Amino acid sequence: MRLGRQRVDRTCNSTQNAGRALSRTKAVLCLTAASCILCAGARAQNAPKTPDQIWLSTGRSAAVASATRRFSLDPAKAYTLSELVDLAEQHNPTTRLAWEQAKAQAAAAGVARSSLFPVLAAKAIAESDRLDLLFNSTWVQDTLGVFQGTVALAYTIFDFNARVDALAEAKAVLRAQNFSFNNTHLQIIYRVTQAYYDVLNATGQLDAAAANLRNATTVQQDAEARLANGLATLPDVLEARAATAQANYDLVNTQGSRLIALGNLATALGAVPTSDIHVQLIDELSMPGPLSETVEDAITEAFRERPDLLSQAERIQAAGDLVRQVKTTFLPKLSFSGDIGRDRNYGEQLPLPGAYFSGEIWDAGLSLEWNLFEGGRRRSELAEAHAEQNQAQAELDALRDDAENQVWTAYINVKTAYAQQQAAAALLEASTASYNAAVEAYNAGVRNLLDVVSAQRSLAQARSEDVTARTQLLRQTATLAFSTGDLLKSARHP
């Protein structure tokens, strides 16, 4: 018996010494690896030498440039609004970002769903040890070989629906993320729509400025001819020249504004700002009529269709699921775990012969876990969950108030824009008639050149205001559709 105890003690001592040696070896290797990593990091990141110098990166600019995505537009095609929206949804990086976030949350919901099922694992353990053991004054070589193959099963039998609540929370967050994805599309559609109408306005202003320049040039040429024949005075000619110069200045200004509007539209599509984009002319679009719905109907539609409100409602649902999930931590949990397999062992102690052993091994058990005290952690987690639920509800209330105000403002702006468009159309018609009458009277000798120049300027302003009023009506109509969420459906069918 004493010899057996000595053998056990020596075996334990030898194993402990080997373990300590292995631990020291691991520690040395870890320190060496850490030192290498720190040294590499120190070489990779250097601060500027002096405070007046900027830090220059290496290779990052090329990486950013190579990662930029571009697509080409047909320069011979006149794109409609729905076609531009399709391009933006395909190529704008914001949609891909929201899509990947929705996919990540869908995977998170799958992770939560997997907790409802048992975990089945196959395990294999192979080990071989050779030790020199001291018996009295003789060293004996001891060899052991072990191989175990098992299948392990672990399953939570009952946890008061903690996993079900976690899955419900993940699904609610997924629905919220999907609505956020829809809201991203709504934002992009609205951005493209506004940029499109900016291009229409700039193009219409350019056409109006070109027509104004043609009229001013015609008046100037006629004044120059009359001056040469002694039928006009020099002040009249100078006034006509000033009007032509002003019209040319306005034309150059509108050309620059149109190029900027085209660059903004290209950026909204996800293309380079220098892209050559042709769109439908504003004269090819039909103007919206007067509003047929009431503002109350528009607000109700916003509550029903706006994805940001729907997303926030789902976040409230997720917060409630989290509260129920935290409450289950106050209750016990019953779990099962076990494994079954076979064990094959080999042992040899020189000079004795070796021995084999093979047999079935298994173990199974039930565990009941109930945390009785943890310093108030669960109580604090429950208070935090309740606070998040109340915060989500407050955010929804704030969003609803903002939505009501946005719909009301957009509704009034549409009604105002419609009235302005009708007035601008009447003003253009009256200014055109006034200009034609002034030219005829001037040719008949009953009106002077200043009257013609004044009528020409009034006509130019009326043309500009007509274009502005029409694009403003289109823009405000789109804003109302955006504020109610209807732009997701109507943008593809302008």
Side-chain angles (χ1 to χ4, degrees):
M1 296 296 293
R2 185 179 304 162
L3 179 61
R5 284 195 297 269
Q6 291 176 353
R7 177 183 178 183
V8 173
D9 294 341
R10 291 166 184 169
T11 303
C12 293
N13 291 336
S14 300
T15 304
Q16 292 173 356
N17 293 334
R20 286 192 293 269
L22 181 59
S23 299
R24 289 193 297 270
T25 303
K26 290 182 178 179
V28 172
L29 291 176
C30 290
L31 289 175
T32 303
S35 300
C36 293
I37 294 174
L38 291 175
C39 292
R43 289 193 300 268
Q45 299 183 11
N46 297 322
K49 296 180 179 180
T50 59
D52 60 334
Q53 295 182 358
I54 63 172
W55 180 73
L56 299 177
S57 62
T58 55
R60 296 302 181 187
S61 300
V64 173
S66 63
T68 303
R69 294 180 174 90
R70 290 291 183 261
F71 70 99
S72 58
L73 294 166
D74 187 358
K77 177 179 176 58
Y79 288 93
T80 64
L81 177 58
S82 60
E83 292 172 337
L84 293 175
V85 167
D86 289 337
L87 289 174
E89 290 179 314
Q90 294 172 18
H91 299 284
N92 193 298
T94 309
T95 58
R96 292 195 299 271
L97 173 62
W99 182 54
E100 293 296 342
Q101 291 174 343
K103 288 172 60 180
Q105 186 55 47
V111 172
R113 185 183 297 107
S114 65
S115 64
L116 300 176
F117 300 93
V119 177
L120 184 65
K123 299 189 296 184
I125 300 175
E127 182 180 1
S128 179
D129 297 322
R130 173 168 290 179
L131 303 174
D132 292 331
L133 305 178
L134 180 62
F135 284 91
N136 293 330
S137 60
T138 304
W139 285 92
V140 178
Q141 189 179 78
D142 189 38
T143 303
L144 297 176
V146 178
F147 177 78
Q148 293 180 355
T150 59
V151 177
L153 178 68
Y155 181 60
T156 301
I157 299 176
F158 187 70
D159 58 359
F160 290 91
N161 289 334
R163 294 167 297 164
V164 175
D165 293 333
L167 177 59
E169 178 194 5
K171 288 183 176 180
V173 175
L174 173 59
R175 291 191 296 270
Q177 192 64 55
N178 289 339
F179 282 124
S180 296
F181 174 69
N182 293 346
N183 190 57
T184 299
H185 277 269
L186 178 62
Q187 297 284 344
I188 290 177
I189 292 171
Y190 181 66
R191 182 183 174 188
V192 171
T193 301
Q194 295 300 304
Y196 172 77
Y197 291 144
D198 286 342
V199 171
L200 290 185
N201 179 62
T203 303
Q205 297 292 348
L206 182 61
D207 294 339
N212 182 36
L213 179 60
R214 288 194 297 270
N215 291 340
T217 302
T218 301
V219 172
Q220 179 187 348
Q221 291 174 351
D222 183 76
E224 298 279 359
R226 286 174 177 266
L227 178 63
N229 295 325
L231 300 177
T233 63
L234 181 60
D236 292 338
V237 174
L238 294 177
E239 184 69 22
R241 291 175 181 175
T244 302
Q246 180 65 45
N248 185 62
Y249 172 83
D250 293 339
L251 178 63
V252 173
N253 188 38
T254 54
Q255 287 175 342
S257 299
R258 182 177 181 274
L259 292 176
I260 293 176
L262 287 173
N264 293 335
L265 177 59
T267 303
L269 299 178
V272 293
T274 56
S275 300
D276 188 11
I277 306 176
H278 294 277
V279 300
Q280 285 182 307
L281 299 178
I282 191 172
D283 294 334
E284 300 176 4
L285 302 179
S286 59
M287 290 294 104
L291 291 173
S292 59
E293 62 176 353
T294 64
V295 66
E296 289 79 8
D297 294 336
I299 292 175
T300 301
E301 183 181 8
F303 290 163
R304 185 178 61 250
E305 299 292 341
R306 280 185 56 151
D308 56 341
L309 298 178
L310 299 175
S311 176
Q312 188 60 33
E314 292 297 338
R315 296 190 185 281
I316 294 176
Q317 179 65 39
D321 296 329
L322 178 60
V323 169
R324 290 191 297 271
Q325 182 183 352
V326 173
K327 287 181 178 179
T328 61
T329 60
F330 290 89
L331 303 174
K333 180 176 67 174
L334 181 63
S335 302
F336 167 82
S337 62
D339 55 35
I340 184 172
R342 294 194 63 83
D343 186 19
R344 296 179 62 87
N345 300 323
Y346 169 78
E348 180 181 4
Q349 189 175 79
L350 296 179
L352 301 176
Y356 290 92
F357 173 77
S358 176
E360 185 180 56
I361 58 174
W362 59 269
D363 70 82
L366 292 174
S367 64
L368 181 65
E369 182 181 354
W370 193 356
N371 293 336
L372 301 178
F373 180 75
E374 72 302 287
R377 178 182 59 84
R378 292 173 294 174
R379 197 177 304 276
S380 299
E381 289 177 347
L382 182 59
E384 181 184 7
H386 277 298
E388 291 179 356
Q389 186 180 28
N390 296 333
Q391 177 184 350
Q393 182 62 54
E395 290 177 355
L396 178 60
D397 294 339
L399 285 175
R400 286 171 59 93
D401 292 343
D402 290 342
E404 287 180 331
N405 184 59
Q406 290 171 9
V407 173
W408 168 255
T409 303
Y411 188 89
I412 298 302
N413 286 338
V414 170
K415 296 185 66 174
T416 304
Y418 178 76
Q420 289 175 338
Q421 190 270 326
Q422 296 295 312
L427 176 61
L428 177 61
E429 182 179 359
S431 298
T432 301
S434 175
Y435 173 75
N436 293 333
V439 171
E440 292 178 1
Y442 174 73
N443 293 330
V446 297
R447 298 284 294 272
N448 57 34
L449 184 61
L450 295 179
D451 295 332
V452 176
V453 172
S454 177
Q456 183 264 327
R457 287 175 176 172
S458 298
L459 177 59
Q461 183 177 0
R463 284 170 175 163
S464 176
E465 291 179 352
D466 177 68
V467 173
T468 301
R470 285 191 286 170
T471 54
Q472 184 70 5
L473 177 58
L474 292 171
R475 182 182 287 108
Q476 294 301 333
T477 302
T479 301
L480 178 59
F482 169 75
S483 63
T484 60
D486 189 60
L487 192 60
L488 279 173
K489 297 179 295 184
S490 62
R492 297 183 181 275
H493 307 282

